[in-house]
Structure formats: C-alpha cells, structure tokens
Amino acid sequence: MKLLPNGPPVPYPVQFRVEGEDPARVRQIADRVKQAMRDNPNTVGVNDNWNEDVKQLRLTLDQDKARALGVSTQLLARAAQTILSGTPIAQYREGDELIDIVLRQPLDERDTMTRLADANVPTASGRYVPLSQLVKAEFGWEPGVIWRENREYAITVQSEVRDGIQGPTVTDQVWNSYDMQVLRAHLPPGYRLVIAGAAEESEKATSALLANVPLALFAIFTLLMLQLHSFPRSLLVFLTGPLGFIGAAAALLIFQRPFGFVAQLGVIALVGMIIRNAVILVDQIERDEERGVDTWTAIVEAAVRRLRPILLTAAAAVVAMIPLSRSVFWGPMAVAIMGGLIVATALTLLFLPALYAAWFRVKRVPAGDTLA
C-alpha cells in the first residue's frame, strides 16, 4: 500500500542522481549519497533505481582450444543460448495468437554449474565436445537494472519522507548537509551529482510559470487602463501589487513554510486581490471628485468610506484560507495569501491614500476656502 502523493508526479519525493562514465565509481558515489540520506531523520526507505545486484553466469572462452576444435565465438554463443535460455525453432498458432516453440536443455541439466559444464557443444567437424573443455564457467554479480542519462551511467538515489513534511524541504536539508557538501567538493572529474525528484519537477514548473508572468502583467495593466482611463492612476494602482510580498514573506518565515511552487501561485493570486482593493479605493476617489468634492477631502472620505468593505472582503478571504493552512501541500499557498493579504490591506488603506496625494501633488485645502 502506498499513500496518494501530493505534488509533482514522481516515484519518490526525494531523489538525487549520480552520473558518470564508470558504473563501479558511480555505485560508490551513490552509496555515499545513500548514507547521507539515511542520516537525515525525515527520510524513509532509502533505495536506488539499480536495485540489488543479481547473480551472473560468466563463460570465459579458451580461444586456443576453440580454434583447434573449430568452434567459433558465435557458435558457442548460440549453443549457450540454446542450453540456458532456449532457441525458437518454430511457432504454434492458437486462434489469432502465435506461440514460440523453444528448444533448450531440461531443467535438471541447466540448474547447476556442474551439469551445465557437461553439456555438449557441436564443432565444425560435426563432433561434440563437453562445454567444460572450451570455457571456464564462474558466477559473478552485476546490477539488476542499469539506467543511463545522456548516454552516461546514472543511479538515482531516492526515498520517501515522513508525514507532515514536503519532499523539496527534505531535499534541501540533505543537499546542504555536511556530508553532501564534502561529497560534491571531492567529486572526480566527469562525475555529477544533481537534484532530481519533486524538487527538479517543481523547478521546471516554476520556470514554465514565470515565463508567462510578463504576459499576465501586461494583461493586468491593460485592464487597469480600460477601467481607470488614466495612465498615471493605472500605474499607481499597478505599483500597489507588490505590497503583499512583505506579508507573504513574513508569514512563510514565521510558520516555517517553504516558498515552493504552490506558494508562488498564492503570491501571484495575492497580487490580483491587492490590485482589486486599490481599484475600489481609487475609483471612489474619482467618483467623489466628479461630485465636486476637492481632491484632498475625496482621498480622506474614500479611505473612510471603503474601509469596511475592504476589511470585510479581506477578512473573508483570510478566514477561508484557514482550513487549507493545515495541509502539507496547500499550506504554503494559504499562509502566503493570509499573511500577504493582512499586511497589504493595511498598507492599501494607509499607504495608497498618502501615495495618491503625493503622486498628484494634492494640497490640503484650508477650512475657510472649503466653506467659501
């Protein structure tokens, strides 16, 4: 049984890939990475994708004897295949399915090395000689599976994580550990140790997301121009968007949440919420000015009049994020939105009116002039 994972579709949330040209050296480096991962208390079930070594039957041919008896390497290979794996000699049709008919030695003649050595191999003269006169059979060990990356041997060391923590967080902990830093500093030339797994996929997703940010910003500014019909006012509202970064960063630091892909989505959504509040405030100032109210009074009255609607909508959004804040996957997004919206709402109501007055050089009208 395996829990449904949160995050990118990867086999394991924590993965490191070792690449190089010599499989034995790659295995040695991967074993050191395994030990560094086991030393981290947040990793569970450390393994690699080459699996455990499996037994290998190695046949070493005596070339001199083979030439004397007229046995070629190809002939010996076909004979060994027939003895061990079998050779298809015909096909049997059953309905619309073709089934191979395989010729090979009986099981009791190929399950032990001594019986295998007694198997006969045909020579060029038509005679048969025991296999033991031509080859030396010995057992060895080899990797169960061999993976390559960019035509080089590559071992992926991987693990699960304990409940309540994300894969990129554990990846960062292992990557910055002392053992991993020493290992990376002493890697032989031509060998690489790279981050894989959820952290790698999150980086790819982030790159794809950021590639469309300029287009999104252009669309937002275009909509502001259509709404406000003024370039200075549109630019003023547009510049209030980053105010939420202050609260988002502070909330993520306080609650120890990672600034991953979902947190970045939350910050992008936060920009839209902040700009919406700024549009409401600026639009109210313009409405009051159209009614004949002086600009200074319109700024103050708009901030007071729109205080309750802006606070209520911000509070509703913050309260709605509380259930998500306990989620391991969606928690960083909720925390970023909550912290950013709280700080940005206060700054919008205090900073935006002051910025509006400074931007358009609005002077306070004396009380006597107002009454006149």
Side-chain angles (χ1 to χ4, degrees):
M1 183 180 67
K2 188 175 181 180
L3 295 176
L4 182 65
N6 288 325
V10 292
Y12 290 86
V14 180
Q15 291 183 322
F16 297 96
R17 189 168 56 249
V18 183
E19 303 173 4
E21 56 186 10
D22 183 12
R25 180 64 67 86
V26 171
R27 167 57 69 183
Q28 293 175 0
I29 299 173
D31 289 340
R32 295 181 61 182
V33 175
K34 275 187 180 180
Q35 186 58 47
M37 294 178 65
R38 291 192 180 102
D39 293 339
N40 189 291
N42 296 321
T43 58
V44 178
V46 179
N47 63 89
D48 64 72
N49 64 344
W50 278 27
N51 301 332
E52 298 295 332
D53 289 346
V54 296
K55 281 187 177 181
Q56 175 195 36
L57 177 62
R58 188 176 294 110
L59 301 178
T60 305
L61 177 64
D62 189 333
Q63 296 289 350
D64 295 333
K65 289 184 179 180
R67 281 193 296 266
L69 295 173
V71 178
S72 64
T73 304
Q74 293 79 7
L75 181 62
L76 180 63
R78 287 197 299 268
Q81 180 183 0
T82 302
I83 294 171
L84 298 173
S85 303
T87 302
I89 58 174
Q91 286 186 325
Y92 171 75
R93 179 183 294 275
E94 183 175 349
D96 58 350
E97 184 179 1
L98 292 177
I99 302 174
D100 290 334
I101 300 175
V102 180
L103 173 65
R104 67 176 176 178
Q105 295 285 91
L107 178 61
D108 58 347
E109 296 183 13
R110 55 185 165 85
D111 61 346
T112 60
M113 186 179 296
T114 55
R115 297 295 300 274
L116 179 64
D118 295 336
N120 294 323
V121 178
T123 64
S125 61
R127 299 171 54 192
Y128 287 84
V129 296
L131 187 63
S132 58
Q133 293 186 10
L134 299 174
V135 301
K136 178 183 179 182
E138 56 185 1
F139 278 119
W141 295 92
E142 66 177 5
V145 180
I146 295 180
W147 292 88
R148 290 178 180 266
E149 186 79 19
N150 297 325
R151 296 186 297 178
E152 291 186 332
Y153 294 101
I155 298 180
T156 301
V157 184
Q158 53 206 9
S159 75
E160 296 284 355
V161 297
R162 65 174 180 83
D163 293 338
I165 193 168
Q166 291 191 14
T169 303
V170 181
T171 299
D172 187 64
Q173 293 175 357
V174 177
W175 184 256
N176 294 318
S177 64
Y178 175 76
D179 292 339
M180 290 289 280
Q181 292 179 5
V182 172
L183 179 59
R184 295 199 305 272
H186 295 86
L187 281 177
Y191 292 83
R192 292 179 301 279
L193 175 59
V194 297
I195 296 176
E200 183 182 36
E201 295 301 321
S202 295
E203 184 177 353
K204 293 179 182 178
T206 300
S207 300
L209 180 66
L210 295 180
N212 296 316
V213 167
L215 179 61
L217 294 178
F218 176 78
I220 291 173
F221 193 81
T222 302
L223 293 175
L224 289 176
M225 286 290 295
L226 295 175
Q227 173 70 27
L228 300 175
H229 305 287
S230 171
F231 180 81
R233 287 183 174 83
S234 299
L235 184 60
L236 175 67
V237 172
F238 188 79
L239 293 178
T240 61
L243 294 177
F245 297 168
I246 304 171
L252 291 173
L253 289 174
I254 292 173
F255 291 96
Q256 295 294 310
R257 298 301 181 94
F259 187 64
F261 178 71
V262 292
Q264 294 170 13
L265 289 179
V267 170
I268 293 175
L270 182 63
V271 171
M273 300 178 189
I274 298 169
I275 291 179
R276 177 203 60 191
N277 292 338
V279 168
I280 293 174
L281 198 57
V282 172
D283 182 69
Q284 184 62 47
I285 295 174
E286 292 182 348
R287 290 174 181 271
D288 289 347
E289 287 180 326
E290 291 174 357
R291 297 203 323 263
V293 180
D294 64 275
T295 306
W296 181 272
T297 305
I299 293 173
V300 176
E301 291 296 331
V304 174
R305 193 175 305 165
R306 291 298 179 181
L307 174 65
R308 181 178 297 177
I310 291 176
L311 287 180
L312 288 178
T313 54
V318 170
V319 172
M321 290 294 159
I322 292 178
L324 280 180
S325 63
R326 303 181 61 184
S327 171
V328 175
F329 183 69
W330 299 107
M333 181 188 72
V335 170
I337 291 177
M338 292 168 63
L341 198 56
I342 291 173
V343 174
T345 300
L347 291 178
T348 300
L349 294 172
L350 299 175
F351 171 74
L352 181 59
L355 180 62
Y356 190 98
W359 188 283
F360 295 102
R361 294 188 176 92
V362 178
K363 302 297 183 180
R364 186 172 184 176
V365 179
D369 295 345
T370 303
L371 293 175

